[in-house]
Amino acid sequence: MKKKLFGLLTVLLVFVLAACGGSSDSTSAGEEGTASDEIQELTIKFAHVVSENTPKHQGGLAMKEYIEEHSGGKIKVEIYPNSSLFGDQDEYQNLVANNIQFIAPDVTKFVGHNPQFNVPALPFLFDNDEAAIAFWDGEKGKEILNSLESDGVIGLYMWPNGGKHITNNERPLVTPEDFNGLKFRTQGGQVLEELYTTLGAGSESIPFSELYTALDQGVVDGQENTFSNIESKKFDEVQDYMSVMNHTRVDYAIFTNTTFWNSMNDATKEIVQAGVEEGTRVAREESQKLNAAAYEIIKERGETEIIELTPEQIEVFRQVLEPIYEEFESAIGADIIEAARAANEEYGNATE
């Protein structure tokens, strides 16, 4: 009788422990996920290096709003702009460590991991955002975004910031010869370095958060960036000339880490994924709007002389820089370059 009673108590104890173990359906970012269909309670951190009035930040806000609303407030999204949490130099390491759950860096910052991230730096490859988006949403673009999985990092979507233009403090830049002897800040990478070397100029990689001071103090003569980044960071205050070129691009991508991503149950991941997609939609829409508005603000401020290069002047630069494609074809891949050119052929020359 005692044995039967002991056995019955043992069974009851197992049921009680199982019930207690399955009662919690919340987790913090990076903990083990749960099989429950209940939405987990999470705090998600998203860090970036640019200002609030940029396509990236607007996409982040849309992502935050969607996730918090559709999770009934169970998921909180904290956004840290202006390198206020982590900057260019340490955001990737902190993503890998799951200290933050999302970053959206310029993809050319990853050329040290994979030279195929040099695609936006190839001169005059994409005419507009539509062509660049078509490439990154295609098979070859997704292959590049997924190439960091060995680090535990997942690339989700490209967020465009647009074509870049060049500012400097020395003289109007109209011909390739005008670049001779000048020094420019770039995001880094082999292709951008070679681009400026071909033009007879030097280049230096400087964190974005330090760029205004570097320009003001003459550490470099100039820099290349989108209208929205030039205007929002007021680079025109410390630069005398701006050449409108659209020669290379700033394309961001939103990245997460596998520790966080795999910690979510299906119900939670569905909301977060949809939030990322909503942020992507808004970031892509805002890119052209904000760049156009920023260009008008730069004109109105009148701090810098604007040189709008003609198609004929652009063609001279295109011919001078064309050898870069042959030099980097093996590192980037002929198939990647072909896919990018095919996307531009189909979607390029559309209205910016």
Side-chain angles (χ1 to χ4, degrees), residues 29-88:
E31 294 179 0
E32 288 299 320
T34 171
S36 169
D37 289 334
E38 293 296 321
I39 298 170
Q40 297 159 263
E41 294 184 5
L42 301 174
T43 297
I44 296 172
K45 295 180 179 180
F46 178 10
H48 67 76
V49 303
V50 298
S51 301
E52 289 90 337
N53 56 333
T54 55
K56 186 191 297 188
H57 191 74
Q58 296 307 308
L61 290 177
M63 175 179 158
K64 169 184 171 69
E65 181 179 349
Y66 183 97
I67 291 173
E68 291 184 345
E69 178 183 346
H70 287 78
S71 68
K74 285 190 172 183
I75 306 175
K76 305 295 184 185
V77 180
E78 299 175 354
I79 303 178
Y80 298 88
N82 290 307
S83 303
S84 57
L85 187 61
F86 300 112
D88 283 330

Side-chain angles (χ1 to χ4, degrees), residues 20 35 43 54 65 73 107 109 115 118 129 137 147 157 159 161 177 193-194 216-217 228 258 262 278 286 336 350:
C20 291
T43 297
T54 55
E65 181 179 349
V107 297
K109 293 173 183 174
N118 273 305
D129 285 358
D137 282 355
S147 65
Y157 297 101
W159 288 12
N161 193 10
E177 291 74 22
E193 290 176 6
E194 183 59 29
D216 189 33
Q217 295 180 350
S228 64
T258 54
N262 294 335
E278 176 64 10
E286 290 296 311
I336 298 294

Side-chain angles (χ1 to χ4, degrees), residues 13-25:
L13 181 59
V14 169
F15 277 113
V16 170
L17 290 174
C20 291
S23 63
S24 176
D25 57 18

Side-chain angles (χ1 to χ4, degrees), residues 16 30 38 66 68 117 135 139 166-167 184 227 238 254 290 299 304 312 333:
V16 170
E38 293 296 321
Y66 183 97
E68 291 184 345
F117 281 110
F135 168 75
E139 177 185 355
I166 298 180
T167 68
F184 294 86
F227 290 136
V238 290
I254 185 162
L290 290 178
K299 291 178 181 178
T304 187
E312 292 75 20

Side-chain angles (χ1 to χ4, degrees), residues 309-316:
L309 273 66
T310 67
E312 292 75 20
Q313 291 169 329
I314 292 291
E315 185 59 29
V316 174

Side-chain angles (χ1 to χ4, degrees), residues 157-216:
Y157 297 101
M158 176 272 239
W159 288 12
N161 193 10
K164 288 191 285 187
H165 313 282
I166 298 180
T167 68
N168 89 101
N169 253 344
E170 293 298 320
R171 51 184 173 265
L173 302 177
V174 180
T175 71
E177 291 74 22
D178 295 330
F179 283 74
N180 190 48
L182 301 182
K183 189 175 183 179
F184 294 86
R185 178 268 182 182
T186 71
Q187 294 94 321
Q190 310 93 328
V191 172
L192 284 176
E193 290 176 6
E194 183 59 29
L195 187 153
Y196 283 98
T197 298
T198 302
L199 294 174
S203 62
E204 182 176 345
S205 180
I206 297 173
F208 188 72
S209 59
E210 301 172 14
L211 180 52
Y212 183 98
T213 301
L215 294 171
D216 189 33

Side-chain angles (χ1 to χ4, degrees), residues 86-107:
F86 300 112
D88 283 330
Q89 297 170 310
D90 56 1
E91 64 178 3
Y92 186 72
Q93 292 84 351
N94 280 283
L95 179 72
V96 172
N98 195 37
N99 295 327
I100 45 177
Q101 288 66 56
F102 288 103
I103 61 173
D106 182 337
V107 297

